[in-house]
Amino acid sequence: GELQTHIDVRAPSAGRISHLAINPGLFVHPDDLLVEVVDGSHLHIELGVFGKDIASVQKGQTVMFKVPGQQASYVGEVEQVSRVVDPSTKTARVHVHFEDNPALSPGVYVQGQIQTALVTRLAVPESAVVQTADQAMVFLAENDHFSEMEVTIGKALNGYVPLLDSLLTPNTKIVTRGAYYISAGMEGPREHNH
């Protein structure tokens, strides 16, 4: 054999270069890895879910995910759930499929939320809830006065707080702005509802 200084190499399939193991002037053998090409036509996500939560994850559930530091969010679907918990990370793997998106690249770290159960709850803007050390409350707007009602709240999401055990209905008029000012301005005995 004769040494060649230049040779064209074609990948067997289309994709993105994920690893380049050569540089100009490098002597290579026929079995050396030169370039690693990743097929970008089917990307998926592998999420780590804590073992205590894995029982509520099922195939077909919706997953909302995003790349940390970016505004855009994406939607996927649980395709496969591992029931084996890794003892070092205390997590099990959840395989998620999503529509291909050129903004996402192989190997990118994402954060995701799996919608495990759809429960309809009344939610109010975060600004409507006044929290003290031991309770949360909202103010009801009744004719010409306000009264407070203690509520149990869930975790805020997108500017809204779910009410977990409230007697409020969707037609109840509550103060959505300035609730802290009403709380601070109330003097004397307060009307208090449970």
Side-chain angles (χ1 to χ4, degrees):
E2 187 178 313
L3 288 178
Q4 295 180 344
T5 60
H6 179 266
I7 186 168
D8 290 332
V9 178
R10 296 195 186 276
S13 63
R16 295 182 182 179
I17 295 175
S18 65
H19 178 69
L20 189 60
I22 58 170
N23 53 36
L26 182 68
F27 181 77
V28 295
H29 293 84
D31 58 345
D32 286 348
L33 174 69
L34 307 179
V35 176
E36 189 173 310
V37 177
V38 175
D39 179 6
S41 65
H42 172 70
L43 296 179
H44 63 269
I45 300 171
E46 289 291 328
L47 294 176
V49 175
F50 288 114
K52 67 180 182 63
D53 300 323
I54 201 67
S56 61
V57 179
Q58 298 174 7
K59 181 178 178 176
Q61 291 174 324
T62 300
V63 178
M64 302 293 293
F65 66 95
K66 62 186 284 185
V67 177
Q70 294 182 7
Q71 293 294 336
S73 62
Y74 308 95
V75 177
E77 184 176 293
V78 173
E79 183 64 26
Q80 188 175 20
V81 181
S82 171
R83 299 295 177 195
V84 178
V85 177
D86 181 333
S88 63
T89 63
K90 308 283 191 267
T91 62
R93 309 309 305 166
V94 174
H95 185 85
V96 178
H97 285 190
F98 61 95
E99 299 239 353
D100 291 334
N101 188 310
L104 298 172
S105 300
V108 171
Y109 176 80
V110 299
Q111 292 175 325
Q113 293 181 333
I114 301 171
Q115 295 178 355
T116 56
L118 294 178
V119 177
T120 303
R121 297 204 188 276
L122 185 62
V124 298
E126 288 181 84
S127 60
V129 179
V130 176
Q131 288 187 273
T132 63
D134 59 346
Q135 68 180 2
M137 66 186 100
V138 295
F139 286 92
L140 308 178
E142 299 170 341
N143 298 327
D144 60 349
H145 72 281
F146 301 106
S147 62
E148 64 184 11
M149 175 181 274
E150 188 174 339
V151 292
T152 303
I153 59 173
K155 183 179 177 183
L157 180 65
N158 297 328
Y160 285 85
V161 179
L163 303 179
L164 303 180
D165 65 351
S166 172
L167 300 175
L168 297 176
T169 66
N171 296 327
T172 305
K173 292 183 180 181
I174 64 166
V175 175
T176 59
R177 289 178 151 180
Y180 275 101
Y181 295 115
I182 295 171
S183 176
M186 286 187 139
E187 294 181 19
R190 297 184 189 179
E191 187 179 325
H192 187 79
N193 296 317
H194 285 276

